[in-house]
Amino acid sequence: MIFGATGDLAKRKLYPSLYHLFNKGKLTKRFAVIGVARRPLSHEDFKAHVKDSVLTSIGSNDNIDEFVSHFYYQAHDVTDSDSYMALKKLADDLDGEYSIDGNRIFYLAMAPEFFGTIAEHLKSDGLTDTSGFKRLVIEKPFGHDLPSAQELNERIRTAFSEDEIYRIDHYLGKEMIQNIEVIRFANALFEPLWNNRYISNIQVTSSETLGVEERGGYYEKSGALRDMVQNHMLQMVALLAMEPPIKLTTDEIRSEKVKVLRALRSIKDEGIKDYFVRGQYGEGQIDGKSVSGYREEHNVNEESNTETYVAGKLMIDNFRWAGVPIYIRTGKRMTAKSTKIVVQFKDIPMNLYYSMDKPLAPNLLVIHIQPEEGITLHLNAKKSGQGMETTPVKLNFSNKSVDGMNTPEAYEKLLHDCMRGDATNFTHWDEVALSWSFVDKISDIWESTKDTGFPNYEAGTMGPRAADELLAKDGFFWWPVT
Ligand code: NAD
């Protein structure tokens, strides 16, 4: 059951992903999807909507009629028990018709204020009372801060146990995010070096060129810290920094990630300015076109202090990472759309090839998350010709050129994982709670200091100058991401 079936997420991501799974034979014929949303639609209207979503996004129509024949619709008011009774009736009928054995996945793809209400009704109106498995997939944001996340969690836990809850962080479905642990733990070249003896710093950048578009109202209450850092950025850091799990099971991997989040140095009060920088874009140029500043966007307060950019220095106070800064930055209206991780290795103990005008470049491992997917290793080699001059060389691996095809969308993998009952690439409550408690300390201070000097970066740039200074005072600089 997809709650929010006429929404943007369902249209752009969920239906195309289900269609891919169907065509790849990863869905048996024994499935039915009930779209649940407010507006009245017939089953036929809804099938046409799903068909249109798939055609718009994928452009292919192999088996499309057979695919959409599995879709049904239920007009629904999420606060009204009668709606749930009718939904239960439809679900029970389809269960018999398709021999689904009572297995149910409830996907909440709608505004988060309804998550708790829906979960409670699913239980009180008997939808979770089923002979098969029951799973709840829940979209971000999971709360607004730790207290609201706790409250939401308590409400959904009345109906679902922790191992039945699949909290989506779609970054965890991305091919190269899943590759982080393989790169680390399957290579003799990296595994022994992955610590404070050989790594000088790590940089994680997730930049967008888009502004807030139509989401001004939502973004005003969120900002980059809550929208990106609390979930995606901290998840990437946890995967980069975790200890090798003893086995590749959901529990073992999550437990190692949780330990990283517990070891994050907590930043308090005045100290925040030494570790975190916030920014808001002003007007500028993107791809040669003038764009307006954040405060001029639709549904945004003209004196808004909402941050559209965050840079931070994270310290993980454990044996492996003591002394190694992990820098993160994310923002809107930046120079390029790019998510990349740069691991900078320490300089070798003595440089035989040093000359005043040309120091040796450090070795870098760059993990390209999106839009490109791949790895680049930056090494030094001999410049061909006379003498022993060095030159930087790059070893490149690109996923696309190897597979010769686009890798599956994150949502496709995550939906399939949920159907198979694999929660590894979803966030456990402990991860959510630790991330919020880290982020809350920063947002508390930022919300109480209104003199922000915003806007402080021009659209089309890589963020405010203070973000460069954050690294410069440690003797580093941001490696370019374009
Ligand atoms: P949307 O506004 O496009 O869709 C909302 C859906 O909820 C519609 O189908 C609407 O009919 C339904 N709905 C609203 N109120 C209802 C009510 N009272 N009773 C029954 N149905 C009701 O939202 P969206 O962009 O699809 O986002 C859905 C969720 O996914 C949100 O939590 C959002 O944060 C999250 N999300 C969206 C995207 C995206 O790309 N759109 C990305 C990541 C996360």
Side-chain angles (χ1 to χ4, degrees):
M1 286 164 230
I2 298 179
F3 289 77
T6 53
D8 174 66
L9 181 78
K11 182 179 169 71
R12 287 192 307 112
K13 302 288 184 190
L14 304 186
Y15 305 139
S17 298
L18 286 169
Y19 174 72
H20 276 306
L21 289 172
F22 180 75
N23 267 348
K24 287 179 184 169
K26 291 185 174 168
L27 283 177
T28 66
K29 308 252 180 237
R30 288 165 51 209
F31 82 97
V33 177
I34 306 179
V36 179
R38 220 167 2 182
R39 80 177 77 139
L41 285 181
S42 67
H43 295 313
E44 292 316 311
D45 291 339
F46 181 56
K47 288 181 210 284
H49 173 79
V50 173
K51 187 169 175 175
D52 178 58
S53 311
V54 171
L55 294 178
T56 316
S57 121
I58 303 177
S60 107
N61 62 2
D62 296 348
N63 309 317
I64 186 84
D65 290 322
E66 193 190 340
F67 173 68
V68 299
S69 73
H70 290 260
F71 284 72
Y72 299 83
Y73 186 78
Q74 161 81 35
H76 192 90
D77 173 352
V78 291
T79 56
D80 171 25
S81 278
D82 289 346
S83 289
Y84 291 88
M85 307 286 191
L87 184 58
K88 180 171 160 40
K89 165 94 179 55
L90 178 59
D92 288 344
D93 291 348
L94 293 174
D95 200 316
E97 190 177 331
Y98 287 90
S99 313
I100 298 172
D101 296 339
N103 293 325
R104 283 184 185 164
I105 297 177
F106 305 94
Y107 195 121
L108 307 192
M110 53 189 290
E113 62 260 36
F114 299 120
F115 293 166
T117 309
I118 298 173
E120 286 167 353
H121 271 284
L122 289 176
K123 182 170 169 76
S124 62
D125 296 320
L127 279 130
T128 54
D129 188 10
T130 175
S131 54
F133 63 68
K134 59 179 199 300
R135 296 180 186 141
L136 181 76
V137 186
I138 192 159
E139 267 297 337
K140 81 167 197 186
F142 198 91
H144 179 74
D145 51 17
L146 182 58
S148 60
Q150 259 159 345
E151 193 207 314
L152 170 60
N153 202 47
E154 277 160 26
R155 293 181 73 188
I156 61 177
R157 285 296 303 273
T158 59
F160 295 88
S161 64
E162 176 62 32
D163 61 6
E164 292 171 329
I165 301 170
Y166 290 69
R167 297 178 193 84
I168 291 257
D169 183 324
H170 71 276
Y171 269 52
L172 297 181
K174 290 183 187 290
E175 190 65 28
M176 290 308 295
I177 299 272
Q178 297 187 354
N179 216 333
I180 293 174
E181 65 173 53
V182 183
I183 293 166
R184 286 188 55 192
F185 302 133
N187 288 297
L189 202 60
F190 295 125
E191 194 283 325
L193 305 188
W194 212 263
N195 56 52
N196 54 8
R197 268 174 292 160
Y198 299 100
I199 290 178
S200 77
N201 73 93
I202 298 179
Q203 302 178 9
V204 185
T205 300
S206 189
S207 59
E208 282 183 70
T209 52
L210 289 178
V212 282
E213 314 299 300
E214 300 308 313
R215 292 170 71 224
Y218 159 77
Y219 204 80
E220 275 286 90
K221 291 190 228 112
S222 160
L225 190 66
R226 292 189 171 99
D227 192 43
M228 290 294 295
V229 176
Q230 183 271 335
N231 37 49
H232 313 314
M233 304 302 281
L234 289 181
Q235 282 292 324
M236 286 192 275
V237 170
L239 288 167
L240 285 163
M242 71 180 184
E243 294 299 312
I246 54 172
K247 278 193 275 182
L248 286 184
T249 58
T250 305
D251 287 350
E252 295 301 341
I253 293 175
R254 283 170 156 188
S255 125
E256 293 307 337
K257 286 166 68 192
V258 164
K259 281 190 222 158
V260 173
L261 297 170
R262 276 170 47 204
L264 273 179
R265 184 177 301 171
S266 151
I267 305 162
K268 288 199 198 90
D269 310 329
E270 279 305 285
I272 281 179
K273 61 182 182 323
D274 298 328
Y275 288 89
F276 270 81
V277 169
R278 58 179 156 166
Q280 187 192 76
Y281 63 83
E283 57 187 16
Q285 299 265 322
I286 300 273
D287 294 333
K289 288 202 199 90
S290 298
V291 295
S292 47
Y294 177 71
R295 289 176 175 184
E296 287 79 58
E297 302 274 19
H298 185 54
N299 280 338
V300 169
N301 183 331
E302 56 192 31
E303 290 176 11
S304 172
N305 276 330
T306 301
E307 79 285 353
T308 61
Y309 176 100
V310 175
K313 166 176 158 176
L314 307 177
M315 298 304 291
I316 295 167
D317 289 327
N318 66 14
F319 212 82
R320 183 185 289 266
W321 294 112
V324 181
I326 302 186
Y327 302 107
I328 57 171
R329 63 177 164 167
T330 179
K332 293 195 177 291
R333 286 281 189 236
M334 291 172 66
T335 319
K337 176 175 172 58
S338 169
T339 303
K340 271 195 183 53
I341 295 164
V342 181
V343 179
Q344 178 177 344
F345 291 88
K346 285 190 171 165
D347 292 338
I348 46 171
M350 191 183 116
N351 179 2
L352 288 171
Y353 306 97
Y354 185 81
S355 69
M356 283 309 284
D357 55 331
K358 203 167 156 242
L360 273 184
N363 292 147
L364 304 177
L365 169 67
V366 183
I367 305 176
H368 309 263
I369 313 281
Q370 65 180 13
E372 317 88 56
E373 294 180 350
I375 308 166
T376 309
L377 189 57
H378 294 236
L379 305 171
N380 291 302
K382 180 183 169 300
K383 198 169 186 177
S384 53
Q386 280 275 245
M388 290 303 283
E389 211 179 319
T390 64
T391 186
V393 295
K394 289 184 199 172
L395 305 186
N396 270 317
F397 157 75
S398 159
N399 241 3
K400 292 212 166 84
S401 57
V402 169
D403 294 350
M405 55 179 273
N406 288 342
T407 51
E409 269 266 11
Y411 275 96
E412 182 183 330
K413 290 209 253 175
L414 295 175
L415 278 166
H416 192 226
D417 282 352
C418 176
M419 290 171 198
R420 295 186 303 117
D422 181 350
T424 313
N425 293 312
F426 294 82
T427 40
H428 188 275
W429 165 247
D430 292 348
E431 298 171 66
V432 174
L434 286 162
S435 305
W436 274 126
S437 69
F438 179 79
V439 157
D440 280 356
K441 295 190 188 87
I442 302 163
S443 43
D444 285 351
I445 298 287
W446 281 358
E447 274 158 25
S448 62
T449 34
K450 294 295 179 200
D451 183 16
T452 54
F454 285 170
N456 62 351
Y457 71 98
E458 229 177 87
T461 66
M462 283 311 280
R465 189 167 305 152
D468 296 332
E469 288 158 8
L470 185 72
L471 273 69
K473 64 183 191 234
D474 295 337
F476 300 124
F477 56 86
W478 293 105
W479 291 97
V481 294
T482 46

